[in-house]
Amino acid sequence: MSMPLILLVALATWLSTLTTSHASTWLKTGSETTRPYGHVEYCTRNASDCRNRSASSRLPAARLNLLQSINSKINRAIKPASDRTVFGRKEFWTAKARSGDCEDFALAKRARLLRSGFKPSQLLLTMGYKGNEAHTVLVVRTKDGDYVLDNLEDDVQPVQSARMSFRKIQSPTHGGRWLKITGKTGKTP
């Protein structure tokens, strides 16, 4: 094989991986599912977060610099600790924790992004597994795809790169309802 042909094949291979890794991807949702116990209790204290909301037909740009900044700041501001240690109970979700677990990190990031102009329908608490451990993150829905803000990762990740098995997500149209995650899609929700 000649050198120009080898270079051409190498370039084509590199370009094919580049377009795949940067393609927009969103979490695909199915039917309504159970609400996490901690979220049910959170909704009794924060009813305005857990009601009907309009899902914006126009998704915003990702604003990755802002997402990265808020993810990093919150990850440094909250000390990781179990709800049992901090609040004396198995589950307690709050956006105002100085110490807390993954739900508290996700809620604090959501609160900060709401103040930065994102809409509630674009900021979705999402549950799944990292390895064998249940885990909650904040998924930010944008026109560029869904992005994951995780207290265990300083870098904001597109959903297709996140090292997590997603199971359920808050409904974009109702903050108190949750939907099953059935996969990932390249089709805008």
Side-chain angles (χ1 to χ4, degrees):
M1 196 183 270
S2 69
M3 184 58 88
L5 187 55
I6 291 172
L7 290 174
L8 185 59
V9 169
L11 179 62
T13 303
W14 178 75
L15 285 174
S16 71
T17 62
L18 183 63
T19 56
T20 308
S21 66
H22 293 296
S24 298
T25 303
W26 294 269
L27 292 172
K28 186 176 176 184
T29 58
S31 61
E32 194 167 328
T33 190
T34 57
R35 293 168 59 194
Y37 170 76
H39 191 253
V40 172
E41 194 274 334
Y42 171 83
C43 287
T44 62
R45 292 181 288 110
N46 301 278
S48 64
D49 277 354
C50 302
R51 61 180 181 210
N52 282 328
R53 52 191 180 197
S54 62
S56 176
S57 58
R58 281 190 59 179
L59 293 173
R63 297 168 59 191
L64 286 174
N65 288 339
L66 176 66
L67 297 181
Q68 185 65 50
S69 172
I70 288 174
N71 191 56
S72 297
K73 285 178 184 172
I74 299 295
N75 284 356
R76 287 191 306 272
I78 298 175
K79 179 183 172 194
S82 72
D83 287 334
R84 177 87 53 214
T85 301
V86 178
F87 303 108
R89 47 209 276 200
K90 184 178 178 182
E91 282 294 323
F92 186 80
W93 293 23
T94 181
K96 299 176 181 171
R98 290 187 180 160
S99 296
D101 62 8
C102 55
E103 299 93 4
D104 306 319
F105 282 84
L107 285 165
K109 292 170 189 182
R110 181 180 177 277
R112 186 80 57 91
L113 286 166
L114 284 169
R115 290 192 301 268
S116 298
F118 281 88
K119 295 186 179 354
S121 62
Q122 300 157 350
L123 304 171
L124 307 173
L125 298 173
T126 305
M127 299 182 82
Y129 289 90
K130 268 204 152 173
N132 293 328
E133 190 160 332
H135 190 53
T136 300
V137 296
L138 181 67
V139 167
V140 180
R141 184 150 282 176
T142 76
K143 69 178 183 174
D144 305 310
D146 284 346
Y147 288 87
V148 178
L149 281 67
D150 186 345
N151 66 300
L152 301 177
E153 305 279 343
D154 280 332
D155 291 329
V156 171
Q157 299 288 320
V159 291
Q160 71 267 27
S161 301
R163 294 182 300 262
M164 184 169 169
S165 172
F166 299 101
R167 298 289 189 234
K168 61 173 92 175
I169 189 169
Q170 263 186 313
S171 168
T173 60
H174 194 291
R177 295 194 178 127
W178 289 69
L179 305 172
K180 291 178 185 174
I181 294 174
T182 59
K184 297 174 185 169
T185 181
K187 185 178 177 188
T188 307

mmCIF file of all heavy atoms in Angstrom, residues 61-107:
data_model
loop_
_atom_site.group_PDB
_atom_site.id
_atom_site.type_symbol
_atom_site.label_atom_id
_atom_site.label_comp_id
_atom_site.label_asym_id
_atom_site.label_seq_id
_atom_site.Cartn_x
_atom_site.Cartn_y
_atom_site.Cartn_z
ATOM 1 N N ALA A 61 -28.427 26.827 23.815
ATOM 2 C CA ALA A 61 -27.067 26.355 23.523
ATOM 3 C C ALA A 61 -26.481 25.785 24.813
ATOM 4 O O ALA A 61 -26.925 26.116 25.917
ATOM 5 C CB ALA A 61 -26.213 27.504 23.004
ATOM 6 N N ALA A 62 -25.493 24.952 24.683
ATOM 7 C CA ALA A 62 -24.929 24.271 25.843
ATOM 8 C C ALA A 62 -24.260 25.220 26.843
ATOM 9 O O ALA A 62 -24.306 24.983 28.033
ATOM 10 C CB ALA A 62 -23.940 23.203 25.403
ATOM 11 N N ARG A 63 -23.628 26.281 26.370
ATOM 12 C CA ARG A 63 -22.908 27.200 27.267
ATOM 13 C C ARG A 63 -21.949 26.397 28.177
ATOM 14 O O ARG A 63 -21.989 26.478 29.386
ATOM 15 C CB ARG A 63 -23.887 28.031 28.087
ATOM 16 C CG ARG A 63 -24.753 28.922 27.213
ATOM 17 C CD ARG A 63 -25.927 29.542 27.919
ATOM 18 N NE ARG A 63 -25.574 30.365 29.056
ATOM 19 C CZ ARG A 63 -26.464 30.821 29.924
ATOM 20 N NH1 ARG A 63 -27.739 30.560 29.786
ATOM 21 N NH2 ARG A 63 -26.070 31.552 30.946
ATOM 22 N N LEU A 64 -21.098 25.609 27.523
ATOM 23 C CA LEU A 64 -20.237 24.674 28.247
ATOM 24 C C LEU A 64 -19.338 25.348 29.277
ATOM 25 O O LEU A 64 -19.074 24.764 30.329
ATOM 26 C CB LEU A 64 -19.414 23.847 27.259
ATOM 27 C CG LEU A 64 -20.211 22.774 26.524
ATOM 28 C CD1 LEU A 64 -19.359 22.100 25.464
ATOM 29 C CD2 LEU A 64 -20.764 21.751 27.487
ATOM 30 N N ASN A 65 -18.859 26.556 29.001
ATOM 31 C CA ASN A 65 -18.011 27.234 29.988
ATOM 32 C C ASN A 65 -18.772 27.482 31.282
ATOM 33 O O ASN A 65 -18.238 27.296 32.374
ATOM 34 C CB ASN A 65 -17.463 28.553 29.438
ATOM 35 C CG ASN A 65 -16.396 28.329 28.392
ATOM 36 O OD1 ASN A 65 -15.787 27.271 28.328
ATOM 37 N ND2 ASN A 65 -16.169 29.327 27.552
ATOM 38 N N LEU A 66 -20.041 27.896 31.175
ATOM 39 C CA LEU A 66 -20.862 28.118 32.361
ATOM 40 C C LEU A 66 -21.146 26.801 33.080
ATOM 41 O O LEU A 66 -21.007 26.720 34.306
ATOM 42 C CB LEU A 66 -22.184 28.804 31.981
ATOM 43 C CG LEU A 66 -23.171 29.000 33.129
ATOM 44 C CD1 LEU A 66 -22.612 29.982 34.155
ATOM 45 C CD2 LEU A 66 -24.514 29.479 32.598
ATOM 46 N N LEU A 67 -21.519 25.771 32.335
ATOM 47 C CA LEU A 67 -21.780 24.469 32.952
ATOM 48 C C LEU A 67 -20.545 23.952 33.682
ATOM 49 O O LEU A 67 -20.631 23.468 34.817
ATOM 50 C CB LEU A 67 -22.218 23.446 31.899
ATOM 51 C CG LEU A 67 -23.522 23.718 31.147
ATOM 52 C CD1 LEU A 67 -23.802 22.593 30.155
ATOM 53 C CD2 LEU A 67 -24.676 23.931 32.078
ATOM 54 N N GLN A 68 -19.391 24.083 33.039
ATOM 55 C CA GLN A 68 -18.139 23.621 33.646
ATOM 56 C C GLN A 68 -17.818 24.395 34.914
ATOM 57 O O GLN A 68 -17.435 23.813 35.932
ATOM 58 C CB GLN A 68 -16.991 23.753 32.637
ATOM 59 C CG GLN A 68 -15.683 23.182 33.123
ATOM 60 C CD GLN A 68 -15.765 21.679 33.329
ATOM 61 O OE1 GLN A 68 -16.203 20.950 32.457
ATOM 62 N NE2 GLN A 68 -15.351 21.218 34.491
ATOM 63 N N SER A 69 -17.989 25.708 34.860
ATOM 64 C CA SER A 69 -17.692 26.553 36.016
ATOM 65 C C SER A 69 -18.581 26.199 37.209
ATOM 66 O O SER A 69 -18.096 26.025 38.326
ATOM 67 C CB SER A 69 -17.876 28.026 35.631
ATOM 68 O OG SER A 69 -17.774 28.845 36.762
ATOM 69 N N ILE A 70 -19.870 26.067 36.969
ATOM 70 C CA ILE A 70 -20.800 25.750 38.062
ATOM 71 C C ILE A 70 -20.565 24.342 38.584
ATOM 72 O O ILE A 70 -20.554 24.119 39.801
ATOM 73 C CB ILE A 70 -22.259 25.967 37.600
ATOM 74 C CG1 ILE A 70 -22.505 27.476 37.485
ATOM 75 C CG2 ILE A 70 -23.258 25.299 38.544
ATOM 76 C CD1 ILE A 70 -23.826 27.871 36.902
ATOM 77 N N ASN A 71 -20.336 23.390 37.710
ATOM 78 C CA ASN A 71 -20.055 22.022 38.144
ATOM 79 C C ASN A 71 -18.838 21.990 39.067
ATOM 80 O O ASN A 71 -18.889 21.418 40.157
ATOM 81 C CB ASN A 71 -19.835 21.112 36.933
ATOM 82 C CG ASN A 71 -19.805 19.653 37.297
ATOM 83 O OD1 ASN A 71 -20.736 19.126 37.888
ATOM 84 N ND2 ASN A 71 -18.725 18.973 36.943
ATOM 85 N N SER A 72 -17.766 22.635 38.664
ATOM 86 C CA SER A 72 -16.536 22.643 39.467
ATOM 87 C C SER A 72 -16.722 23.370 40.797
ATOM 88 O O SER A 72 -16.274 22.887 41.844
ATOM 89 C CB SER A 72 -15.397 23.303 38.691
ATOM 90 O OG SER A 72 -15.100 22.558 37.541
ATOM 91 N N LYS A 73 -17.375 24.532 40.761
ATOM 92 C CA LYS A 73 -17.568 25.312 41.995
ATOM 93 C C LYS A 73 -18.407 24.550 43.016
ATOM 94 O O LYS A 73 -18.066 24.514 44.197
ATOM 95 C CB LYS A 73 -18.215 26.660 41.678
ATOM 96 C CG LYS A 73 -17.260 27.637 41.060
ATOM 97 C CD LYS A 73 -17.947 28.944 40.711
ATOM 98 C CE LYS A 73 -16.962 29.862 39.989
ATOM 99 N NZ LYS A 73 -17.604 31.064 39.463
ATOM 100 N N ILE A 74 -19.485 23.953 42.579
ATOM 101 C CA ILE A 74 -20.340 23.203 43.506
ATOM 102 C C ILE A 74 -19.618 21.957 44.007
ATOM 103 O O ILE A 74 -19.697 21.621 45.193
ATOM 104 C CB ILE A 74 -21.692 22.829 42.850
ATOM 105 C CG1 ILE A 74 -22.479 24.071 42.445
ATOM 106 C CG2 ILE A 74 -22.518 21.916 43.766
ATOM 107 C CD1 ILE A 74 -22.950 24.957 43.565
ATOM 108 N N ASN A 75 -18.879 21.285 43.133
ATOM 109 C CA ASN A 75 -18.127 20.105 43.563
ATOM 110 C C ASN A 75 -17.121 20.439 44.656
ATOM 111 O O ASN A 75 -16.861 19.622 45.538
ATOM 112 C CB ASN A 75 -17.415 19.446 42.376
ATOM 113 C CG ASN A 75 -18.356 18.659 41.491
ATOM 114 O OD1 ASN A 75 -19.543 18.521 41.777
ATOM 115 N ND2 ASN A 75 -17.838 18.151 40.380
ATOM 116 N N ARG A 76 -16.560 21.646 44.611
ATOM 117 C CA ARG A 76 -15.606 22.072 45.645
ATOM 118 C C ARG A 76 -16.304 22.642 46.886
ATOM 119 O O ARG A 76 -15.769 22.575 47.984
ATOM 120 C CB ARG A 76 -14.648 23.112 45.079
ATOM 121 C CG ARG A 76 -13.611 22.539 44.126
ATOM 122 C CD ARG A 76 -12.505 23.524 43.783
ATOM 123 N NE ARG A 76 -12.977 24.794 43.267
ATOM 124 C CZ ARG A 76 -13.221 25.075 41.987
ATOM 125 N NH1 ARG A 76 -13.050 24.129 41.085
ATOM 126 N NH2 ARG A 76 -13.625 26.255 41.607
ATOM 127 N N ALA A 77 -17.504 23.199 46.713
ATOM 128 C CA ALA A 77 -18.186 23.886 47.816
ATOM 129 C C ALA A 77 -18.874 22.937 48.796
ATOM 130 O O ALA A 77 -19.016 23.265 49.977
ATOM 131 C CB ALA A 77 -19.212 24.873 47.255
ATOM 132 N N ILE A 78 -19.322 21.788 48.312
ATOM 133 C CA ILE A 78 -20.047 20.846 49.167
ATOM 134 C C ILE A 78 -19.124 19.693 49.553
ATOM 135 O O ILE A 78 -18.464 19.098 48.707
ATOM 136 C CB ILE A 78 -21.305 20.308 48.451
ATOM 137 C CG1 ILE A 78 -22.269 21.461 48.142
ATOM 138 C CG2 ILE A 78 -22.001 19.246 49.302
ATOM 139 C CD1 ILE A 78 -23.498 21.061 47.339
ATOM 140 N N LYS A 79 -19.104 19.396 50.843
ATOM 141 C CA LYS A 79 -18.284 18.288 51.336
ATOM 142 C C LYS A 79 -19.098 16.996 51.214
ATOM 143 O O LYS A 79 -20.216 16.922 51.727
ATOM 144 C CB LYS A 79 -17.919 18.533 52.797
ATOM 145 C CG LYS A 79 -17.097 17.448 53.415
ATOM 146 C CD LYS A 79 -16.846 17.733 54.885
ATOM 147 C CE LYS A 79 -16.182 16.525 55.504
ATOM 148 N NZ LYS A 79 -16.212 16.579 56.957
ATOM 149 N N PRO A 80 -18.572 15.983 50.522
ATOM 150 C CA PRO A 80 -19.316 14.729 50.384
ATOM 151 C C PRO A 80 -19.559 14.058 51.742
ATOM 152 O O PRO A 80 -18.631 13.901 52.539
ATOM 153 C CB PRO A 80 -18.401 13.852 49.519
ATOM 154 C CG PRO A 80 -17.440 14.786 48.869
ATOM 155 C CD PRO A 80 -17.295 15.950 49.808
ATOM 156 N N ALA A 81 -20.810 13.719 52.012
ATOM 157 C CA ALA A 81 -21.188 13.038 53.252
ATOM 158 C C ALA A 81 -22.565 12.416 53.066
ATOM 159 O O ALA A 81 -23.380 12.918 52.288
ATOM 160 C CB ALA A 81 -21.205 14.022 54.419
ATOM 161 N N SER A 82 -22.829 11.366 53.795
ATOM 162 C CA SER A 82 -24.131 10.696 53.685
ATOM 163 C C SER A 82 -25.213 11.515 54.384
ATOM 164 O O SER A 82 -24.938 12.306 55.297
ATOM 165 C CB SER A 82 -24.060 9.301 54.306
ATOM 166 O OG SER A 82 -23.987 9.414 55.715
ATOM 167 N N ASP A 83 -26.446 11.299 53.951
ATOM 168 C CA ASP A 83 -27.574 11.962 54.605
ATOM 169 C C ASP A 83 -27.680 11.531 56.066
ATOM 170 O O ASP A 83 -28.051 12.317 56.935
ATOM 171 C CB ASP A 83 -28.882 11.650 53.870
ATOM 172 C CG ASP A 83 -28.982 12.376 52.538
ATOM 173 O OD1 ASP A 83 -28.356 13.433 52.382
ATOM 174 O OD2 ASP A 83 -29.701 11.882 51.646
ATOM 175 N N ARG A 84 -27.356 10.290 56.341
ATOM 176 C CA ARG A 84 -27.406 9.780 57.718
ATOM 177 C C ARG A 84 -26.443 10.586 58.596
ATOM 178 O O ARG A 84 -26.791 10.997 59.692
ATOM 179 C CB ARG A 84 -27.055 8.290 57.727
ATOM 180 C CG ARG A 84 -26.992 7.674 59.076
ATOM 181 C CD ARG A 84 -28.264 7.141 59.673
ATOM 182 N NE ARG A 84 -28.982 6.208 58.835
ATOM 183 C CZ ARG A 84 -30.315 6.139 58.825
ATOM 184 N NH1 ARG A 84 -31.026 6.941 59.573
ATOM 185 N NH2 ARG A 84 -30.930 5.282 58.058
ATOM 186 N N THR A 85 -25.249 10.852 58.076
ATOM 187 C CA THR A 85 -24.253 11.612 58.842
ATOM 188 C C THR A 85 -24.661 13.073 59.007
ATOM 189 O O THR A 85 -24.565 13.625 60.108
ATOM 190 C CB THR A 85 -22.880 11.547 58.130
ATOM 191 O OG1 THR A 85 -22.476 10.185 58.027
ATOM 192 C CG2 THR A 85 -21.827 12.335 58.881
ATOM 193 N N VAL A 86 -25.133 13.708 57.931
ATOM 194 C CA VAL A 86 -25.414 15.147 57.950
ATOM 195 C C VAL A 86 -26.780 15.466 58.559
ATOM 196 O O VAL A 86 -26.910 16.388 59.358
ATOM 197 C CB VAL A 86 -25.331 15.735 56.519
ATOM 198 C CG1 VAL A 86 -25.669 17.215 56.510
ATOM 199 C CG2 VAL A 86 -23.943 15.515 55.937
ATOM 200 N N PHE A 87 -27.812 14.693 58.169
ATOM 201 C CA PHE A 87 -29.179 15.026 58.557
ATOM 202 C C PHE A 87 -29.804 14.021 59.523
ATOM 203 O O PHE A 87 -30.939 14.207 59.959
ATOM 204 C CB PHE A 87 -30.063 15.138 57.304
ATOM 205 C CG PHE A 87 -29.555 16.159 56.317
ATOM 206 C CD1 PHE A 87 -28.977 15.756 55.118
ATOM 207 C CD2 PHE A 87 -29.632 17.523 56.582
ATOM 208 C CE1 PHE A 87 -28.500 16.687 54.207
ATOM 209 C CE2 PHE A 87 -29.159 18.460 55.673
ATOM 210 C CZ PHE A 87 -28.591 18.038 54.491
ATOM 211 N N GLY A 88 -29.082 12.940 59.814
ATOM 212 C CA GLY A 88 -29.592 11.942 60.749
ATOM 213 C C GLY A 88 -30.712 11.084 60.196
ATOM 214 O O GLY A 88 -31.474 10.500 60.958
ATOM 215 N N ARG A 89 -30.830 10.997 58.882
ATOM 216 C CA ARG A 89 -31.848 10.159 58.255
ATOM 217 C C ARG A 89 -31.324 9.557 56.969
ATOM 218 O O ARG A 89 -30.331 10.030 56.416
ATOM 219 C CB ARG A 89 -33.138 10.919 58.033
ATOM 220 C CG ARG A 89 -32.948 12.267 57.425
ATOM 221 C CD ARG A 89 -34.011 13.260 57.816
ATOM 222 N NE ARG A 89 -35.207 13.184 56.998
ATOM 223 C CZ ARG A 89 -36.066 14.162 56.912
ATOM 224 N NH1 ARG A 89 -35.899 15.260 57.601
ATOM 225 N NH2 ARG A 89 -37.114 14.051 56.155
ATOM 226 N N LYS A 90 -32.019 8.529 56.484
ATOM 227 C CA LYS A 90 -31.548 7.795 55.307
ATOM 228 C C LYS A 90 -31.518 8.676 54.066
ATOM 229 O O LYS A 90 -30.564 8.638 53.297
ATOM 230 C CB LYS A 90 -32.438 6.579 55.074
ATOM 231 C CG LYS A 90 -31.968 5.709 53.940
ATOM 232 C CD LYS A 90 -32.832 4.481 53.769
ATOM 233 C CE LYS A 90 -32.325 3.685 52.579
ATOM 234 N NZ LYS A 90 -33.128 2.513 52.332
ATOM 235 N N GLU A 91 -32.576 9.451 53.840
ATOM 236 C CA GLU A 91 -32.657 10.326 52.662
ATOM 237 C C GLU A 91 -33.141 11.708 53.064
ATOM 238 O O GLU A 91 -34.122 11.841 53.799
ATOM 239 C CB GLU A 91 -33.627 9.762 51.617
ATOM 240 C CG GLU A 91 -33.074 8.629 50.780
ATOM 241 C CD GLU A 91 -31.934 9.045 49.870
ATOM 242 O OE1 GLU A 91 -31.944 10.158 49.323
ATOM 243 O OE2 GLU A 91 -31.017 8.241 49.698
ATOM 244 N N PHE A 92 -32.447 12.729 52.583
ATOM 245 C CA PHE A 92 -32.883 14.115 52.749
ATOM 246 C C PHE A 92 -32.258 14.909 51.609
ATOM 247 O O PHE A 92 -31.041 15.027 51.524
ATOM 248 C CB PHE A 92 -32.444 14.700 54.094
ATOM 249 C CG PHE A 92 -33.015 16.069 54.337
ATOM 250 C CD1 PHE A 92 -34.313 16.220 54.789
ATOM 251 C CD2 PHE A 92 -32.261 17.201 54.089
ATOM 252 C CE1 PHE A 92 -34.857 17.480 55.008
ATOM 253 C CE2 PHE A 92 -32.791 18.475 54.294
ATOM 254 C CZ PHE A 92 -34.092 18.608 54.755
ATOM 255 N N TRP A 93 -33.102 15.425 50.724
ATOM 256 C CA TRP A 93 -32.631 16.165 49.555
ATOM 257 C C TRP A 93 -32.768 17.656 49.810
ATOM 258 O O TRP A 93 -33.813 18.135 50.229
ATOM 259 C CB TRP A 93 -33.446 15.807 48.326
ATOM 260 C CG TRP A 93 -33.296 14.397 47.826
ATOM 261 C CD1 TRP A 93 -32.880 13.298 48.533
ATOM 262 C CD2 TRP A 93 -33.590 13.938 46.515
ATOM 263 N NE1 TRP A 93 -32.895 12.187 47.738
ATOM 264 C CE2 TRP A 93 -33.333 12.549 46.482
ATOM 265 C CE3 TRP A 93 -34.054 14.545 45.366
ATOM 266 C CZ2 TRP A 93 -33.512 11.770 45.357
ATOM 267 C CZ3 TRP A 93 -34.240 13.766 44.230
ATOM 268 C CH2 TRP A 93 -33.960 12.403 44.224
ATOM 269 N N THR A 94 -31.695 18.408 49.523
ATOM 270 C CA THR A 94 -31.726 19.860 49.667
ATOM 271 C C THR A 94 -30.741 20.508 48.695
ATOM 272 O O THR A 94 -29.712 19.924 48.369
ATOM 273 C CB THR A 94 -31.423 20.304 51.104
ATOM 274 O OG1 THR A 94 -31.501 21.724 51.187
ATOM 275 C CG2 THR A 94 -30.043 19.846 51.578
ATOM 276 N N ALA A 95 -31.080 21.724 48.279
ATOM 277 C CA ALA A 95 -30.187 22.485 47.400
ATOM 278 C C ALA A 95 -29.242 23.371 48.197
ATOM 279 O O ALA A 95 -28.385 24.029 47.629
ATOM 280 C CB ALA A 95 -31.015 23.341 46.440
ATOM 281 N N LYS A 96 -29.392 23.379 49.518
ATOM 282 C CA LYS A 96 -28.634 24.319 50.355
ATOM 283 C C LYS A 96 -27.671 23.633 51.311
ATOM 284 O O LYS A 96 -27.384 24.157 52.374
ATOM 285 C CB LYS A 96 -29.612 25.183 51.139
ATOM 286 C CG LYS A 96 -30.508 26.005 50.237
ATOM 287 C CD LYS A 96 -31.529 26.782 51.007
ATOM 288 C CE LYS A 96 -32.406 27.561 50.032
ATOM 289 N NZ LYS A 96 -33.543 28.160 50.668
ATOM 290 N N ALA A 97 -27.155 22.484 50.928
ATOM 291 C CA ALA A 97 -26.260 21.733 51.810
ATOM 292 C C ALA A 97 -24.825 22.247 51.732
ATOM 293 O O ALA A 97 -24.347 22.622 50.662
ATOM 294 C CB ALA A 97 -26.289 20.255 51.447
ATOM 295 N N ARG A 98 -24.150 22.240 52.860
ATOM 296 C CA ARG A 98 -22.694 22.481 52.884
ATOM 297 C C ARG A 98 -21.966 21.145 52.845
ATOM 298 O O ARG A 98 -20.825 21.065 52.423
ATOM 299 C CB ARG A 98 -22.313 23.264 54.128
ATOM 300 C CG ARG A 98 -22.814 24.680 54.076
ATOM 301 C CD ARG A 98 -22.295 25.488 55.212
ATOM 302 N NE ARG A 98 -22.803 26.846 55.104
ATOM 303 C CZ ARG A 98 -22.852 27.692 56.088
ATOM 304 N NH1 ARG A 98 -22.409 27.350 57.279
ATOM 305 N NH2 ARG A 98 -23.329 28.894 55.904
ATOM 306 N N SER A 99 -22.661 20.115 53.323
ATOM 307 C CA SER A 99 -22.211 18.727 53.220
ATOM 308 C C SER A 99 -23.406 17.931 52.738
ATOM 309 O O SER A 99 -24.540 18.216 53.135
ATOM 310 C CB SER A 99 -21.782 18.186 54.590
ATOM 311 O OG SER A 99 -20.671 18.879 55.083
ATOM 312 N N GLY A 100 -23.158 16.928 51.897
ATOM 313 C CA GLY A 100 -24.283 16.143 51.410
ATOM 314 C C GLY A 100 -23.867 15.096 50.407
ATOM 315 O O GLY A 100 -22.688 14.925 50.117
ATOM 316 N N ASP A 101 -24.883 14.404 49.884
ATOM 317 C CA ASP A 101 -24.624 13.352 48.908
ATOM 318 C C ASP A 101 -24.997 13.819 47.500
ATOM 319 O O ASP A 101 -25.271 15.003 47.280
ATOM 320 C CB ASP A 101 -25.320 12.047 49.309
ATOM 321 C CG ASP A 101 -26.827 12.160 49.383
ATOM 322 O OD1 ASP A 101 -27.389 13.200 48.975
ATOM 323 O OD2 ASP A 101 -27.456 11.192 49.844
ATOM 324 N N CYS A 102 -24.999 12.889 46.561
ATOM 325 C CA CYS A 102 -25.111 13.246 45.146
ATOM 326 C C CYS A 102 -26.359 14.058 44.808
ATOM 327 O O CYS A 102 -26.294 14.964 43.975
ATOM 328 C CB CYS A 102 -25.014 12.003 44.271
ATOM 329 S SG CYS A 102 -26.189 10.681 44.667
ATOM 330 N N GLU A 103 -27.499 13.765 45.462
ATOM 331 C CA GLU A 103 -28.711 14.536 45.168
ATOM 332 C C GLU A 103 -28.548 15.998 45.568
ATOM 333 O O GLU A 103 -29.021 16.893 44.866
ATOM 334 C CB GLU A 103 -29.939 13.953 45.898
ATOM 335 C CG GLU A 103 -30.269 12.538 45.528
ATOM 336 C CD GLU A 103 -29.638 11.515 46.456
ATOM 337 O OE1 GLU A 103 -28.984 11.900 47.449
ATOM 338 O OE2 GLU A 103 -29.782 10.317 46.182
ATOM 339 N N ASP A 104 -27.870 16.237 46.673
ATOM 340 C CA ASP A 104 -27.659 17.605 47.142
ATOM 341 C C ASP A 104 -26.760 18.396 46.185
ATOM 342 O O ASP A 104 -27.017 19.568 45.913
ATOM 343 C CB ASP A 104 -27.067 17.595 48.561
ATOM 344 C CG ASP A 104 -27.922 16.780 49.524
ATOM 345 O OD1 ASP A 104 -29.159 16.887 49.447
ATOM 346 O OD2 ASP A 104 -27.350 16.020 50.318
ATOM 347 N N PHE A 105 -25.741 17.740 45.668
ATOM 348 C CA PHE A 105 -24.881 18.379 44.661
ATOM 349 C C PHE A 105 -25.709 18.741 43.423
ATOM 350 O O PHE A 105 -25.619 19.847 42.907
ATOM 351 C CB PHE A 105 -23.751 17.431 44.229
ATOM 352 C CG PHE A 105 -22.598 17.315 45.188
ATOM 353 C CD1 PHE A 105 -22.654 16.451 46.270
ATOM 354 C CD2 PHE A 105 -21.438 18.054 44.996
ATOM 355 C CE1 PHE A 105 -21.581 16.318 47.143
ATOM 356 C CE2 PHE A 105 -20.356 17.931 45.855
ATOM 357 C CZ PHE A 105 -20.430 17.065 46.938
ATOM 358 N N ALA A 106 -26.523 17.774 42.944
ATOM 359 C CA ALA A 106 -27.328 17.996 41.735
ATOM 360 C C ALA A 106 -28.328 19.133 41.944
ATOM 361 O O ALA A 106 -28.502 19.988 41.069
ATOM 362 C CB ALA A 106 -28.045 16.704 41.347
ATOM 363 N N LEU A 107 -28.980 19.174 43.107
ATOM 364 C CA LEU A 107 -29.952 20.238 43.391
ATOM 365 C C LEU A 107 -29.270 21.603 43.506
ATOM 366 O O LEU A 107 -29.818 22.614 43.062
ATOM 367 C CB LEU A 107 -30.733 19.923 44.665
ATOM 368 C CG LEU A 107 -31.801 18.838 44.504
ATOM 369 C CD1 LEU A 107 -32.261 18.335 45.874
ATOM 370 C CD2 LEU A 107 -32.969 19.347 43.680
#
